[in-house]
DNA sequence: ATTATAAAAGATAAAAAGGTCTTTAAATAA
DNA sequence: TTATTTAAAGACCTTTTTATCTTTTATAAT
């Protein structure tokens, strides 16, 4: 459902939320190493997130990526929207153009509530809230 | 979640279940036309389904694709399994290797029930049952 | 037997996703 | 001010997905 790029993006942003501050910026190299992602590819993704103001960066020595308070108040859905767009939440599981609650496909009644739930979960919670749940040990974002 | 090929496959098989018999075989051309799919590409997909005995075919005049009673008793998950494999049902939404009920990612509790529900729906119902629900008007597979 | 028809087979190609490498620009520390 | 560090930019490459085109094979109708 989410692209590889998007999964990398989400995990990276949460990593930055948990580990970086404006005084402790983190390079794409460290993120890639810690989260086991291809470094150059991740750099491109972080570059894109920076351009769209979802994360922040500075160049040079002691430079790197970090999150401002504004960045922290974005939702995870903002990340998804930036990287993948929101199409995934608006298309029929079986690829039917005309699928709807009044003309449901065979799995519509299963897929629709799921899409709503996941959409709500991703849009109603900020990066900060996601990070806090990790800090508390409610959820886990393993360093794969 | 499902590839384009897989969606084409599912819709085609249901179309065949609803419209073909051993005495009224249907060509890939008709299926492609009626379901608005690229004909040559669909032909490849149907060829694969035939090779794996999920649908049946004969060549020549009055030839085409159709479903035997055995074909009709397969589950839709058999189609998915044939075209895409079952990986989609076994991976974490956020791409974490170690995501599980004891170390859940932030959306695990939403995604896991969904995957179970959709898996059950696709594996517990035969092609015939899917087709019957369409015939009865319970569900709809529009001719896009 | 010949012809027409339709799937099977296989080569090819376009587009998208995933990923790498090199060069340039900006910032800091010395 | 020079060297170093790190992101930005952009060219390039690989794999997968999606798709097309051509040739061959099987079958049925005539």
């Amino acid at each position: 459902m989410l692209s590889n790029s998007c999964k990398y993006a989400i995990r990276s942003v949460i990593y930055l939320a948990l580990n970086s501050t404006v005084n402790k910026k983190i390079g794409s190299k460290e993120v890639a190493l810690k989260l086991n992602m291809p470094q150059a590819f991740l750099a491109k993704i972080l570059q894109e997130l920076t351009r769209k103001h979802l994360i922040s960066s500075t160049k040079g020595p002691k430079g790197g990526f970090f999150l401002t308070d504004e960045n922290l108040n974005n939702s995870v859905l903002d990340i998804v929207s930036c990287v993948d767009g929101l199409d995934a939440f608006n298309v029929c599981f079986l690829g039917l153009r005309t699928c709807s609650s009044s003309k449901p496909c065979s799995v519509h009644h299963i897929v629709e509530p799921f899409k709503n739930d996941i959409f709500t979960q991703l849009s109603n919670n900020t990066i900060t809230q996601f990070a806090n749940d990790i800090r508390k040990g409610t959820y886990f974002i393993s360093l794969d």
Side-chain angles (χ1 to χ4, degrees), chain A residues 45-58:
Chain A
I45 295 166
L46 296 182
Q47 195 179 315
E48 165 101 351
L49 291 173
T50 303
R51 192 148 29 79
K52 299 216 181 144
H53 303 104
L54 289 165
I55 66 178
S56 305
S57 73
T58 61

Side-chain angles (χ1 to χ4, degrees), chain A residues 13-138:
Chain A
V13 171
I14 293 178
Y15 182 84
L16 291 175
L18 290 171
N19 297 289
S20 81
T21 68
V22 68
N23 293 317
K24 191 193 164 208
K25 292 156 194 158
I26 298 182
S28 63
K29 209 167 153 187
E30 174 182 332
V31 178
L33 198 74
K34 289 290 180 60
L35 301 186
N36 195 35
M37 300 168 180
Q39 194 253 312
F41 189 46
L42 176 62
K44 279 287 166 212
I45 295 166
L46 296 182
Q47 195 179 315
E48 165 101 351
L49 291 173
T50 303
R51 192 148 29 79
K52 299 216 181 144
H53 303 104
L54 289 165
I55 66 178
S56 305
S57 73
T58 61
K59 295 180 180 177
K62 299 280 168 186
F65 299 93
F66 62 101
L67 303 186
T68 62
D69 287 350
E70 252 185 37
N71 296 151
L72 284 164
N73 274 314
N74 284 316
S75 69
V76 175
L77 196 73
D78 289 327
I79 311 292
V80 174
S81 175
C82 170
V83 179
D84 277 359
L86 297 179
D87 266 14
F89 296 96
N90 294 314
V91 296
C92 168
F93 190 84
L94 297 181
L96 302 172
R97 253 191 316 155
T98 62
C99 180
S100 68
S101 55
S102 60
K103 293 255 181 189
C105 79
S106 309
V107 293
H108 186 86
H109 60 294
I110 296 174
V111 175
E112 205 57 19
F114 165 72
K115 286 197 297 199
N116 289 334
D117 287 358
I118 199 97
F119 189 91
T120 300
Q121 171 83 346
L122 296 180
S123 62
N124 282 4
N125 290 293
T126 62
I127 303 295
T128 296
Q129 289 169 310
F130 266 79
N132 280 340
D133 282 336
I134 308 292
R135 282 196 196 94
K136 281 189 290 183
T138 307

Side-chain angles (χ1 to χ4, degrees), chain A residues 2 83 143:
Chain A
L2 302 183
V83 179
L143 310 180

